[in-house]
Amino acid sequence: MRDKNRPSLEDVAVVAGVSTASISRCINNPLKVAEPTRVRIQEAIETLGYMPHFGGRALARNRTNTIGAIIPTMDNAMFASGLQAFQETLSEAGVTLLVGSSNYDPAQEFEQVRSLLSQGADGLLLIGQARPKKTHDFLAQHSVPHVLAWCFPKSTGHHAVGFDNQKSGRAIAEHVISYGHRKLGVIAGLRDGNDRAQDRILGIQDAIDAHPGVQLLGLQECKYSFEEAGSALDDLLSGPVHPTAVICGSDVLAVGAMLRARDLGLQIPEDISITGFDDINLARVTTPGLTTVRVPQHDMGRKAAHVLLGLLDADAPQSQSYELMTTIIDRGTLARV
């Protein structure tokens, strides 16, 4: 179990050269501890990787029936359906979900990991596979049960429930190319700290490389907002040759591009085709409906919960990883040329 690997309050006291009472006071009321002592205690905590335990009763049974999930953003709906299914499945097992957000910042994600575990989370749901060695080492040091979602790592060693973003990126690009498009533009999420955005771009490039007559006229990276996607479309249309189709790395980006295209007097899909990725509810209510990649969010959330619950159950069979398939949903924003 995880807690046997945790450094104790007494361990921190020895390294810092202070009493356990001083450490407790530093954690609970840091302003009441002299700065030199506080710095020494914090250094000892960091060195040992100490985390306060959440409640005596929870410590006694080594379970809090609480699981944490850290998602990159709460600012749009791309994770909503999967997280809802994850929470519902945990609730059926009597487990409470705590949610944190990293804002696509690895340092914030690490602090959220520490915070959720300090609050007693028995395990974690993490989005994607790219994170610093510091975070991986911390999870390993404390034997934290965790499962990765919204990705399916090509390397072994991780429990994962998700899909191959590179394969899905290639699939939507191949679909666009099959409609006769030879001049493409791409609007993607920022790749820094986002392996899903990176892999989708790689997949699109794979498809382009497989068709010598197809050109990538421009790749724009931006935050997941309508406004930034609109600005990205402006940049794609600023050159002498315009793309006939724009492949977007999310539905939010696609809708932002659609709104800007209309502002410019362009008809969709007659003047420009646009595709998305995720198939959130927004994709169904645009006019025309958005052609996109459907991510199996509900199935992914449900299976991820089962895998994580299995990791927490010492008597359960070894938990598995699941690669799920995405599908292309044709609506009205992709025209043949």
Side-chain angles (χ1 to χ4, degrees):
M1 296 297 292
R2 170 165 55 90
D3 280 67
K4 70 181 181 181
N5 295 316
R6 282 183 170 180
S8 67
L9 198 69
E10 289 75 15
D11 294 330
V12 179
V14 170
V15 173
V18 298
S19 68
T20 55
S22 294
I23 297 170
S24 296
R25 187 162 53 252
C26 182
I27 292 171
N28 296 313
N29 296 289
L31 295 180
K32 294 185 177 181
V33 179
E35 183 176 358
T37 303
R38 187 169 68 245
V39 170
R40 195 162 67 250
I41 291 172
Q42 187 58 43
E43 288 176 348
I45 288 173
E46 292 286 343
T47 299
L48 294 174
Y50 172 75
M51 293 180 298
H53 289 287
F54 181 71
R57 290 180 62 191
L59 176 60
R61 58 191 170 92
N62 208 23
R63 285 286 295 273
T64 66
N65 283 336
T66 300
I67 280 176
I70 304 170
I71 61 174
T73 179
M74 298 182 188
D75 207 24
N76 63 57
M78 69 175 73
F79 301 107
S81 179
L83 198 63
Q84 179 68 24
F86 184 73
Q87 187 274 331
E88 289 172 355
T89 306
L90 293 181
S91 182
E92 291 168 2
V95 174
T96 299
L97 176 64
L98 300 176
V99 181
S101 174
S102 68
N103 197 30
Y104 293 95
D105 182 343
Q108 284 191 39
E109 185 190 56
F110 180 75
E111 291 307 316
Q112 288 290 330
V113 167
R114 286 179 57 92
S115 176
L116 289 171
L117 293 176
S118 294
Q119 293 176 66
D122 297 317
L124 296 173
L125 173 74
L126 302 174
I127 307 301
Q129 58 184 313
R131 48 190 44 88
K133 183 176 183 296
K134 176 182 179 180
T135 306
H136 286 297
D137 290 347
F138 186 84
L139 294 170
Q141 177 187 3
H142 296 285
S143 302
V144 179
H146 62 281
V147 61
L148 308 181
W150 273 267
C151 69
F152 196 79
K154 297 174 179 64
S155 59
T156 58
H158 293 285
H159 295 283
V161 178
F163 57 96
D164 188 324
N165 282 275
Q166 185 170 348
K167 188 186 301 181
S168 298
R170 176 163 185 160
I172 187 62
E174 291 278 5
H175 189 64
V176 171
I177 292 168
S178 76
Y179 273 54
H181 293 276
R182 296 296 180 265
K183 295 179 175 61
L184 307 182
V186 174
I187 300 176
L190 299 172
R191 283 180 279 188
D192 187 25
N194 187 341
D195 56 282
R196 286 86 58 212
Q198 169 69 19
D199 285 348
R200 291 172 196 180
I201 292 170
L202 290 175
I204 293 168
Q205 189 64 59
D206 288 343
I208 292 172
D209 291 344
H211 297 272
V214 176
Q215 296 176 269
L216 177 60
L217 298 182
L219 165 63
Q220 297 294 323
E221 297 180 41
C222 64
K223 294 181 179 179
Y224 294 107
S225 77
F226 294 158
E227 294 77 15
E228 294 223 7
S231 296
L233 182 68
D234 285 338
D235 290 337
L236 288 177
L237 298 178
S238 64
V241 181
H242 293 176
T244 62
V246 176
I247 302 171
C248 298
S250 80
D251 291 344
V252 170
L253 296 179
V255 173
M258 290 174 66
L259 294 172
R260 181 58 181 152
R262 288 197 181 120
D263 288 343
L264 296 173
L266 299 174
Q267 297 296 311
I268 303 168
E270 291 82 5
D271 298 324
I272 189 169
S273 291
I274 295 174
T275 65
F277 200 112
D278 289 321
D279 196 31
I280 61 177
N281 289 336
L282 182 64
R284 300 175 176 87
V285 299
T286 61
T287 304
L290 180 63
T291 294
T292 188
V293 177
R294 175 172 291 169
V295 172
Q297 287 205 41
H298 187 274
D299 197 24
M300 182 166 52
R302 182 175 56 81
K303 278 187 167 63
H306 284 306
V307 168
L308 196 45
L309 290 170
L311 291 173
L312 295 172
D313 186 352
D315 297 325
Q318 180 66 32
S319 293
Q320 302 177 10
S321 292
Y322 297 92
E323 181 178 4
L324 307 179
M325 297 296 110
T326 58
T327 52
I328 293 172
I329 304 300
D330 267 312
R331 293 194 177 97
T333 59
L334 178 63
R336 295 186 182 276
V337 296

